[in-house]
Amino acid sequence: MSQPVVSQPAPNLPQLLTQAKRWFEDALLAGMRSADEQPVSAAQAAVFATLDDGGTSIAELARRIGVTRQTAHQAVHSLVGLGLLEQVPDPASARSTLVRVTVEGARVHRRALATITVIEDVLADRIGAAATEALRSALTQPWGEPPLVTAPDVRPDATPGVRPDIAPGVRPDATPGVRPDATPGVTPGVAPAEDPR
């Protein structure tokens, strides 16, 4: 028995946003490497973006980034080894430490931010300044809390990305029972009446 052919739907927004994020990350890593700077992974860069000036605990870093404490600890440990971060005693708690940026880490972070600005300029050259600004505007709009939606029932043979209540090739706004290319007042399969004149 032949395997069913599954057509691939168009990428959804989460996939497109992930691809865009990866595009920026790859460009940033390549730019920093070409400048003989320490290569910093996406997880490590996320630590820089969430650090407070006075230092942040690993538990708080993990919460802000949305990862486990172990993952955050590994990212911090590697950045400490590169000399970009340091761990200092927490003045509010003798049993915990804070993570903060070193002088070298601050320099590298500033250079990375400047590199991202250059990458954004390249994107504007490729897709247009208006499209780039529209993208920024859409992503900075308040989206509200994530919605609680009802997952729709999907037939086992349904094609992903295709609404089951609409026949292929029919517009969603088409009148039921009427072909989109039909001539008004003419019944398909019936010859129009002859003009008596």
Side-chain angles (χ1 to χ4, degrees):
M1 181 180 295
S2 61
Q3 293 293 323
V5 178
V6 179
S7 60
Q8 294 296 324
N12 56 38
L13 280 177
Q15 291 172 322
L16 293 174
L17 290 171
T18 300
Q19 292 172 8
K21 182 174 179 288
R22 175 62 61 85
W23 184 86
F24 270 100
E25 290 173 349
D26 290 348
L28 175 60
L29 286 174
M32 295 295 279
R33 284 197 184 100
S34 68
D36 294 327
E37 293 286 3
Q38 294 278 11
V40 177
S41 68
Q44 293 170 335
V47 173
F48 275 100
T50 54
L51 279 176
D52 296 323
D53 292 338
T56 308
S57 68
I58 290 182
E60 178 61 19
L61 278 176
R63 187 191 68 81
R64 294 179 183 179
I65 301 172
V67 298
T68 65
R69 292 183 61 173
Q70 180 181 3
T71 300
H73 185 273
Q74 291 173 345
V76 167
H77 181 74
S78 59
L79 289 168
V80 169
L82 293 173
L84 305 181
L85 296 182
E86 62 182 356
Q87 290 184 273
V88 297
D90 185 352
S93 175
R95 295 190 303 172
S96 62
T97 60
L98 297 177
V99 180
R100 67 184 185 188
V101 180
T102 63
V103 174
E104 174 64 6
R107 183 194 67 78
V108 172
H109 186 51
R110 287 194 301 271
R111 192 167 192 183
L113 292 177
T115 304
I116 291 176
T117 299
V118 176
I119 297 170
E120 291 181 359
D121 291 340
V122 172
L123 179 63
D125 289 339
R126 292 185 178 181
I127 69 174
T132 304
E133 187 55 37
L135 177 62
R136 183 189 303 278
S137 177
L139 293 176
T140 53
Q141 291 291 325
W143 289 16
E145 291 295 322
L148 176 60
V149 301
T150 301
D153 291 330
V154 179
R155 301 193 318 267
D157 59 343
T159 301
V162 176
R163 286 178 52 180
D165 57 330
I166 299 177
V170 177
R171 301 192 313 270
D173 58 345
T175 303
V178 178
R179 290 183 8 223
D181 58 344
T183 303
V186 176
T187 303
V190 178
E194 294 184 2
D195 191 337
R197 292 176 299 177

